[in-house]
Amino acid sequence: MTARFPVSALHWTVLVPAFSVVLLALTWGRVLPVAVVVVVAVFLAVAVLAAVHHAEVVAHRVGEPYGALVLAVAVTVIEVALILTLTADGGPKSAGLARDTVFAAVMITCNGIMGLCLLVGALRRRVAVFNPEGTGASLATVATLATLSLVLPTFTTSTPGPRFSTAQLTFAALASLVLYGLFVATQTVRHRAYFLPVKPGGEVIDVSEDDTVPPTTRAALFSLALLVVALIAVVGLAKVESPTIERGVQYAGLPSSFVGVVIALLVLLPETIAAVRAAARDRVQTSLNLALGSAMASIGLTIPAVAVASLWMSGPLLLGLGSTHMVLLAITVAVGTLTVIPGRATPLQGAVHLSLLAAYVVLAISP
């Protein structure tokens, strides 16, 4: 048994949140030179890593599938904060930022993280094994949430453009919260065994087989406090960095919607690392919990948040996807269903999902 989560006061995961908050206080509301912008970007990226590290400490303490839930919610809080931060100052040009970011998160999680983890797990054991009941329920919820929130606005007629009316947006927000809440109850209470890692023969892996010592309650509470500090730092530094992100996308000649891809990549990078680590340890189910849980939380929490924020934000809230993105979403759901049904996957399935992510990135750069 080995300890995995150091709690030294001099460890980088302790120092970074504190220094990030100090940097936030020094840079808030100021026009920054290039050198300072680079420093802020570095601290922003490392603060994201620190935040997810502390979420992982808490997750390791509470065990699976609660661990994946903690990580998914932590990452989604960061994503929602970044979306609201950029939308608040973006005006009409950021009307579709929430849609672009949420869709990017869905494509990255359901194709990128999921495909990479299946590939790693299958290359390690020839076949990646997971629980089709739990994974299928996750994918079905993601598909339903994505359709309600991102597809239907394109076809409604109450308001012009890919928008919901106030009543429709209220329904979508409430439906997202209810479905996400029901999924959490299913994952953690009624059918918890469906979301636990399994052996090649289908037996559930006992948590006692983990070769790491869980952190103490004191260490977990300490990490919870640092997680809050890190999230505050991430939100604030993103606010400081947001003009640079938008200028960089514009300078590169990329569509404005690519800002959403940048946000999703930023907040999901640590999640990707955690999922790949789990797949490398033969915990493919944990990897899929992280991937699909993040996609679900991204929609189920982001849409209600931006719905509330739209009450005081000027400009329209565009949620409906275009035809190209709807095709990508449809094939992602279809391929994901075929991947999940057998409960096992070869490297081919992983490569197929990664190819869909590559297609999305190419089309995001060159629509």
Side-chain angles (χ1 to χ4, degrees):
M1 301 284 284
T2 57
R4 184 178 164 199
F5 302 106
V7 293
S8 168
L10 297 179
H11 194 255
W12 72 269
T13 57
V14 177
L15 297 176
V16 165
F19 285 140
S20 297
V21 171
V22 172
L23 180 62
L24 173 61
L26 294 175
T27 57
W28 184 264
R30 301 184 181 181
V31 178
L32 305 178
V34 175
V36 178
V37 169
V38 172
V39 172
V40 171
V42 171
F43 270 88
L44 174 59
V46 181
V48 170
L49 293 174
V52 178
H53 167 84
H54 291 298
E56 192 174 17
V57 174
V58 178
H60 191 57
R61 176 62 184 172
V62 300
E64 288 296 329
Y66 304 100
L69 181 63
V70 170
L71 286 172
V73 171
V75 168
T76 304
V77 168
I78 298 173
E79 179 187 347
V80 172
L82 291 175
I83 291 172
L84 295 181
T85 298
L86 295 178
T87 302
D89 292 338
K93 65 180 181 180
S94 62
L97 181 62
R99 171 198 60 199
D100 299 333
T101 305
V102 169
F103 183 66
V106 170
M107 296 303 292
I108 291 170
T109 52
C110 294
N111 288 318
I113 300 179
M114 187 172 172
L116 186 59
C117 291
L118 291 176
L119 186 62
V120 170
L123 289 176
R124 178 179 172 83
R125 295 291 186 183
R126 296 183 62 86
V127 175
V129 180
F130 50 90
N131 194 321
E133 287 90 349
T135 310
S138 301
L139 182 62
T141 308
V142 171
T144 301
L145 288 173
T147 302
L148 288 176
S149 302
L150 302 178
V151 176
L152 288 182
T154 303
F155 299 100
T156 56
T157 57
S158 299
T159 54
R163 300 168 50 193
F164 273 145
S165 66
T166 302
Q168 292 166 344
L169 182 60
T170 301
F171 167 76
L174 292 176
S176 297
L177 285 175
V178 169
L179 282 176
Y180 186 66
L182 287 174
F183 174 81
V184 170
T186 300
Q187 185 184 39
T188 58
V189 181
R190 292 189 62 86
H191 300 286
R192 180 171 175 263
Y194 289 174
F195 301 90
L196 296 177
V198 294
K199 297 178 180 179
E203 306 89 354
V204 173
I205 296 177
D206 193 334
V207 293
S208 63
E209 298 179 22
D210 199 345
D211 61 352
T212 60
V213 178
T216 63
T217 301
R218 180 179 178 182
L221 291 175
F222 182 60
S223 283
L224 181 61
L226 286 174
L227 173 61
V228 174
V229 174
L231 290 175
I232 293 173
V234 167
V235 173
L237 293 178
K239 170 74 171 179
V240 172
E241 197 77 2
S242 59
T244 304
I245 294 175
E246 294 174 345
R247 285 197 301 267
V249 169
Q250 185 177 6
Y251 180 78
L254 300 175
S256 59
S257 60
F258 198 76
V259 173
V261 180
V262 174
I263 295 174
L265 287 172
L266 175 65
V267 300
L268 290 173
L269 177 59
E271 191 87 342
T272 303
I273 296 172
V276 172
R277 284 177 180 171
R281 292 186 293 113
D282 290 334
R283 303 297 197 266
V284 176
Q285 182 62 52
T286 300
S287 300
L288 298 181
N289 289 345
L290 286 166
L292 295 175
S294 293
M296 198 181 312
S298 179
I299 307 173
L301 300 181
T302 301
I303 298 302
V306 297
V308 173
S310 67
L311 297 176
W312 69 81
M313 288 182 179
S314 60
L317 176 62
L318 305 181
L319 291 177
L321 296 174
S323 56
T324 302
H325 285 169
M326 280 192 282
V327 170
L328 285 174
L329 179 61
I331 193 172
T332 294
V333 172
V335 170
T337 302
L338 295 176
T339 297
V340 166
I341 288 175
R344 55 188 60 234
T346 66
L348 175 61
Q349 280 100 325
V352 169
H353 282 280
L354 290 174
S355 69
L356 288 175
L357 175 66
Y360 165 69
V361 173
V362 169
L363 291 173
I365 295 173
S366 180

